Amino acid sequence: MAIDDKQAWAAVMRRDRAFDGQFVTGVLSTGIYCRPSCAARHPARANVRFFADGAQARLAGLRACRRCLPDDVARDEAAVRAAIDAIRSGESPTLEELGAITGYSPTHFSRVFKRTTGLSPAAYARALKEERVRDALSGSERVTDAIYDAGYEAPSRFYAAMEGKMGMSPSAWKNGGRGVTIRWAVVETTLGEMLVAATDKGVCRLSFNEGEAELRARFPEAELAQGGADFSALLGQVIDAVETPGTGQDIPLDVAGTAFQEACWKALRQIPPGETRSYSEIAAAAGNPRAVRAAGTANGANNVAVLIPCHRVIRSDGAIGGYAYGTQIKEELLRREGEPG
Ligand SMILES: [Zn+2]
């Protein structure tokens, strides 16, 4: 197999789902074999032998783990793909119908779907609807038409579904932030000049070496203002978070993207400081392992550097990769996070 034992063991230690189907972990002391991501307690390294697949492990006298069902990886993937196709076709299948389509029991299928996409089938369908509304909103239709077109019964249902997800209301977002006040400041940090901007919902832009012109270009219709007691308090928290790696998880953010982009940003926030991921791992964590390029785009569309830690994504060959504000800042952030705390 193309993966060496060291890489395989590292994948097992972080229960990396991206490696499911690429090899199985044989545990000689218990006589079973598992997916790399098996949730069971990790075996001692000395008891582990890696096999290319379940058939090889069975030849060595091992049997499949009943918890992670290592022989079902391909079947699970096909089932999730079939379910996503059914949901995307717009027919709102029930969990029972999805079970029937995929040949799994509804509860088991729900578990498999969630393990793969990070969302329940119903939450996935909702996110898809929201994404379609946003696509329509960026066109020229009236907002209400766009909402009906995307399958919501009434605009009030749409706003209820969006509550807490998208800081700006759909009209404001469509209009470049019209009706929204953005407070902002440029401060000196150890990483250089940092721009911080926030609505009353949370931080909407954190960048380096930018000023009012760049902010204006991003939110052309918003009212830009400086100062304010609430903003000063938030700014203090943001500066602390940037200077002290691994803090700032509680700082509110006001960001809006497609459902997939938001899933990517959520996956980025789950990378522990001191660790990195590849674009394909982010794509898998966001629910679409094949959307590697879209995960790269989502990374680039991140408005809030550091707090959404897009700097923790590196190339799959281990090279550091690019960064919107230059690789020097990225290297420095990773260096600080890698220091024992
Ligand atoms: Zn297992």
Side-chain angles (χ1 to χ4, degrees):
M1 77 185 130
I3 301 154
D4 67 33
D5 280 13
K6 210 173 144 218
Q7 285 176 302
W9 181 243
V12 168
M13 290 315 284
R14 36 172 219 276
R15 296 196 166 88
D16 194 334
R17 282 201 326 259
F19 286 84
D20 286 1
Q22 300 198 37
F23 68 88
V24 299
T25 315
V27 186
L28 305 180
S29 48
T30 57
I32 61 162
Y33 63 94
C34 285
R35 301 176 186 224
S37 70
C38 182
R41 203 160 60 87
H42 285 135
R45 176 69 185 87
N47 296 329
V48 167
R49 218 183 117 199
F50 298 107
F51 298 92
D53 53 33
Q56 296 292 320
R58 286 193 298 278
L59 272 178
L62 304 178
R63 59 194 163 70
C65 171
R66 289 216 184 89
R67 181 156 176 186
C68 64
L69 303 171
D71 295 328
D72 283 3
V73 173
R75 192 178 163 218
D76 288 356
E77 276 180 7
V80 169
R81 263 202 307 280
I84 286 176
D85 285 347
I87 295 169
R88 285 203 164 258
S89 75
E91 287 173 6
S92 315
T94 64
L95 201 49
E96 281 68 28
E97 285 165 343
L98 289 174
I101 291 168
T102 58
Y104 285 129
S105 79
T107 32
H108 180 63
F109 178 69
S110 180
R111 251 198 319 269
V112 168
F113 192 89
K114 199 159 180 189
R115 188 165 62 209
T116 310
T117 67
L119 297 170
S120 69
Y124 183 93
R126 269 197 307 278
L128 182 69
K129 255 195 224 176
E130 288 164 12
E131 180 178 321
R132 286 182 174 158
V133 172
R134 284 177 210 172
D135 286 352
L137 284 179
S138 48
S140 60
E141 296 125 290
R142 281 173 47 225
V143 168
T144 336
D145 291 343
I147 291 167
Y148 281 116
D149 287 350
Y152 281 89
E153 288 153 36
S156 61
R157 295 277 306 271
F158 169 75
Y159 292 113
M162 292 311 246
E163 191 66 49
K165 269 215 87 186
M166 198 161 81
M168 298 180 197
S169 69
S171 324
W173 186 61
K174 181 182 179 183
N175 295 323
R178 187 175 302 162
V180 175
T181 299
I182 294 175
R183 295 190 176 272
W184 69 284
V186 169
V187 290
E188 194 60 48
T189 72
T190 55
L191 294 166
E193 278 193 354
M194 176 174 77
L195 178 140
V196 180
T199 68
D200 58 3
K201 305 244 166 45
V203 178
C204 62
R205 179 95 185 145
L206 192 163
S207 59
F208 294 93
N209 302 313
E210 286 189 344
E212 183 169 8
E214 286 84 3
L215 189 61
R216 171 64 62 208
R218 239 161 239 282
F219 304 99
E221 301 295 331
E223 190 188 323
L224 300 187
Q226 290 194 292
D230 289 349
F231 179 71
S232 300
L234 181 66
L235 182 62
Q237 286 178 43
V238 172
I239 294 169
D240 284 350
V242 169
E243 299 291 1
T244 317
T247 59
Q249 282 298 312
D250 306 333
I251 294 175
L253 305 181
D254 184 356
V255 290
T258 64
F260 181 72
Q261 285 175 336
E262 290 186 357
C264 286
W265 298 338
K266 200 173 139 206
L268 292 174
R269 293 198 98 186
Q270 285 164 352
I271 308 172
E275 292 185 22
T276 56
R277 298 287 185 272
S278 65
Y279 288 119
S280 52
E281 286 170 327
I282 294 302
N288 190 347
R290 279 159 197 81
V292 177
R293 190 175 299 211
T297 307
N299 219 47
N302 173 23
N303 253 330
V304 184
V306 189
L307 299 180
I308 296 177
C310 56
H311 61 276
R312 291 182 197 148
V313 180
I314 62 170
R315 281 173 27 184
S316 51
D317 62 7
I320 188 154
Y323 193 57
Y325 312 108
T327 48
Q328 258 186 324
I329 291 180
K330 182 174 186 174
E331 276 167 1
E332 177 58 19
L333 283 165
L334 291 174
R335 191 193 63 74
R336 290 181 189 182
E337 293 178 354
E339 283 175 351

